[in-house]
Amino acid sequence: MCAFSSSGCTALWEGGLFCAIVGNILLVVSTATDYWMQYRLSGSFTHQGLWRYCMSGKCYMQTDSIAYWNATRAFMILSAMSCFAGIITGILSFAHFSAFERFNRSFTAGIMFFISTLFVLLAMAIYTGVTVNFLGKRFGDWRFSWSYILGWVALLITFFAGIFYMCAYRMHECRRVAGPR
């Protein structure tokens, strides 16, 4: 038996949408910024991101086509795109826009956020594995930096957006099956 209120479902949609928007912003910022890793090189701190590295106050494009950078970039971009598609679907779900009657938009939005979470997890795992096993041994004084940390935070937030939308879908389905009282 289901005893869910309409306001509970709306709160889940709104919470999911909030998490999704924040998660997408964090994904874009994490992907675009140059602080994935910091290390000391020739006595000064250097930092690098997925696209550029900066030394002595000057930044240079990463021109090397290294597989792990390309994979990390691709998965981060796919994650942001999946999250954005989930946001659009979630807004349509919240607005009750009925373009596809058989296609539940809450469920679809939740799946898109879980796909986004999977992509960012793959990106972070690849970057972490290569950095710790290769670059970490090459540079003695190094650390992960804030862009990298934002990627992990975005993973958690997009996961929670998916949870919220799946719960909203479940509550909506429960009410639909139970019928009017």
Side-chain angles (χ1 to χ4, degrees), residues 3-4 34 38 50 55 88 121 136 142 144 149 152 160 164:
F4 297 116
D34 302 325
Q38 291 181 318
L50 299 177
M55 298 172 27
I88 298 301
L121 177 64
W142 70 277
F144 291 115
I149 293 166
W152 284 109
F160 284 120
F164 281 135

Side-chain angles (χ1 to χ4, degrees), residues 129-144:
V130 172
T131 300
V132 169
N133 291 318
F134 175 68
L135 295 177
K137 293 176 182 172
R138 186 172 156 203
F139 304 109
D141 186 14
W142 70 277
R143 66 178 185 196
F144 291 115

